[in-house]
Amino acid sequence: MIKNGHHDADDHQDEGGCSKSVRSLCSPEKRKRVVRLWCDGCYDMVHYGHSNQLRQAKAMGDYLIVGVHTDAEISKHKGPPVFTQEERYKMVRAIKWVDEIVEGAPYVTTLETLDQYNCDFCVHGDDITLTVDGKDTYEEVKRAGRYRECKRTQGVSTTDLVGRMLLMTKAHHSNIDNPDYQQHTDNFGKGPKGHSPWTGVSQFLQTSQKIIQFASGKEPQPGDTIIYVAGAFDLFHIGHVDFLEMVYKQAERPYVIVGLHFDQEVNRYKGKNYPIMNIHERTLSVLACRYVSEVVIGAPYAVGKDLLDHFKEPKERGIFKTIDSGNNLTTDDIVQRIIENRLQYEARNQMKEAKEIAVIEVMKKREQQQKTEAAAPAAH
């Protein structure tokens, strides 16, 4: 059972309002005011890797603004997104570490953008983002010293998730070495000149530390209305967000508990290769949602008396309620989007990786040139 809840900025700040994790970055002046941060991206097929990046970014300051690119911008620089911009805007808003989003943010991050939103610096993962002509989208802010990096989450990527959807087997979670799975991931995330370290597949390993980082551990308080919902919540998407938002609005002081079914149980009632995400991944995805207070890992399919009693629910029956989220999107629908546009997505990722490999080659040549120039004076 994992307790969650809204992000509490006080957990990360000293007396002056400066993030403890980056106290050394804060001048005395900054300690007297709010440190504003900027993140931006496509946030297509939002997963717990995106959430973890935003969690790390928020820990570097006090107020996090996230810019989300339009469909047109993404199509121009990378290829067509899986989700529409409206769906992506809403997904990012639902991540509990986000304070504000900017719709239609420019693909290239400039000092003008940071200044427009009064941001001290921008934060990005330790991979690289390139424009259609192969330029680093953060080059300007890096030169100005207003760029910070956070760690990329190993074991999850859009490439990997799409590969799982295309591989219709029941054992895809453990198929990292399976030749069929490798063929899918090669098709989707390998360019003609090999693999880029930033685009590809690796295996996710859950740790207790990661769960602690995502969960806030808040207990229900007197006067809270405890609401329990359960399901697979697989490939956590906008349909889930709309549903949980409606659940959250059912009470003045809601405490929403989400029960997650084990993988075997989900596969029993969904079949095919479901769940796409394993129980550990689904746990982090749900914990990142601002409408969720607590997660039960491995909740029973049937909600019985013992479960209700455990959460001190009223003993009377008649407490079940059906909520219409107004959104009928399902995980099946997302899988169909991927399958129908498979060749487009494969081409998109191969093009992305080719650009990344070209940049890596330039970086290697530059590094070699610098070593040669540094060694030249020593030879004299």
Side-chain angles (χ1 to χ4, degrees):
M1 193 158 55
I2 305 296
K3 293 181 176 61
N4 194 23
H6 292 282
H7 177 68
D8 186 353
D10 293 339
D11 293 342
H12 301 283
Q13 297 174 359
D14 60 18
E15 293 79 359
C18 182
S19 168
K20 293 179 182 178
S21 62
V22 288
R23 192 178 294 162
S24 60
L25 298 176
C26 296
S27 65
E29 292 78 19
K30 283 186 178 179
R31 292 192 185 193
K32 297 176 184 177
R33 63 176 177 81
V34 171
V35 176
R36 293 168 64 89
L37 313 161
W38 173 271
C39 286
D40 56 27
C42 304
Y43 299 101
D44 193 22
M45 284 186 65
V46 172
H47 50 66
Y48 60 91
H50 294 122
S51 300
N52 193 38
Q53 182 236 346
L54 297 174
R55 178 193 66 79
Q56 293 179 79
K58 181 63 179 276
M60 295 182 186
D62 307 303
Y63 192 85
L64 178 61
I65 301 174
V66 180
V68 184
H69 310 317
T70 62
D71 295 344
E73 279 283 270
I74 296 171
S75 296
K76 175 185 173 183
H77 293 279
K78 289 180 68 173
V82 178
F83 287 94
T84 68
Q85 59 197 43
E86 294 303 325
E87 290 172 326
R88 293 183 288 107
Y89 296 155
K90 192 157 192 175
M91 283 298 294
V92 175
R93 278 195 184 94
I95 297 173
K96 65 181 179 179
W97 296 286
V98 175
D99 295 300
E100 180 183 337
I101 84 153
V102 173
E103 299 180 0
Y107 199 81
V108 176
T109 309
T110 63
L111 293 174
E112 182 183 358
T113 299
L114 297 189
D115 291 341
Q116 181 181 350
Y117 294 98
N118 298 314
C119 291
D120 296 274
F121 53 88
C122 78
V123 183
H124 187 65
D126 54 0
D127 54 350
I128 193 165
T129 304
L130 303 171
T131 62
V132 67
D133 52 359
K135 293 182 179 178
D136 183 352
T137 59
Y138 296 99
E139 184 178 349
E140 182 178 323
V141 292
K142 284 179 179 178
R143 283 203 311 264
R146 292 173 68 181
Y147 175 85
R148 303 288 184 272
E149 275 189 358
C150 57
K151 289 292 182 183
R152 186 171 180 263
T153 305
Q154 291 298 313
V156 64
S157 66
T158 303
T159 303
D160 183 28
L161 293 177
V162 171
R164 296 184 201 180
M165 283 182 258
L166 294 175
L167 184 66
M168 299 301 282
T169 67
K170 294 185 179 182
H172 61 88
H173 297 307
S174 58
N175 265 357
I176 199 82
D177 298 318
N178 182 292
D180 292 333
Y181 182 69
Q182 205 59 54
Q183 182 61 48
H184 277 282
T185 57
D186 281 354
N187 287 346
F188 194 76
K190 186 177 182 180
K193 295 185 179 179
H195 278 298
S196 159
W198 302 308
T199 300
V201 176
S202 58
Q203 195 152 20
F204 172 71
L205 298 174
Q206 181 70 287
T207 64
S208 57
Q209 183 61 30
K210 186 62 64 188
I211 293 177
I212 290 168
Q213 288 170 343
F214 271 59
S216 66
K218 291 185 176 180
E219 299 278 356
Q221 301 300 310
D224 286 355
T225 300
I226 299 175
I227 306 171
Y228 178 77
V229 298
F233 290 90
D234 190 20
L235 208 63
F236 195 75
H237 54 71
I238 189 66
H240 297 133
V241 167
D242 282 339
F243 168 68
L244 290 171
E245 183 181 14
M246 289 298 293
V247 169
Y248 187 83
K249 291 177 177 178
Q250 296 305 301
E252 191 174 326
R253 293 179 53 182
Y255 188 90
V256 179
I257 300 166
V258 175
L260 292 178
H261 301 147
F262 276 133
D263 298 341
Q264 299 91 325
E265 185 70 16
V266 175
N267 188 254
R268 180 187 65 77
Y269 63 78
K270 289 276 289 182
K272 297 180 182 178
N273 67 331
Y274 294 110
I276 303 297
M277 285 183 161
N278 66 37
I279 185 68
H280 305 301
E281 297 172 307
R282 291 184 285 121
T283 297
L284 294 185
S285 298
V286 175
L287 281 173
C289 181
R290 66 172 67 250
Y291 306 119
V292 177
S293 302
E294 188 169 358
V295 169
V296 179
I297 302 174
Y301 185 74
V303 180
K305 178 178 179 298
D306 290 343
L307 184 66
L308 294 178
D309 289 348
H310 182 79
F311 296 119
K312 299 183 174 65
E313 280 283 350
K315 295 297 194 302
E316 310 85 33
R317 293 304 174 252
I319 56 176
F320 179 79
K321 190 172 184 179
T322 302
I323 302 296
D324 181 4
S325 69
N327 188 330
N328 59 5
L329 183 73
T330 67
T331 304
D332 281 328
D333 296 331
I334 297 169
V335 172
Q336 284 307 308
R337 288 188 194 184
I338 295 297
I339 291 172
E340 289 168 9
N341 298 280
R342 172 181 175 175
L343 295 179
Q344 270 189 310
Y345 296 132
E346 285 182 0
R348 182 185 79 174
N349 277 269
Q350 287 177 6
M351 180 178 69
K352 174 177 179 285
E353 187 157 30
K355 287 194 296 182
E356 290 172 352
I357 290 171
V359 169
I360 290 169
E361 291 302 316
V362 171
M363 290 167 65
K364 284 180 179 177
K365 287 179 182 177
R366 188 181 299 158
E367 186 179 344
Q368 188 59 45
Q369 185 178 355
Q370 289 172 345
K371 285 181 180 178
T372 303
E373 291 173 354
H380 293 292

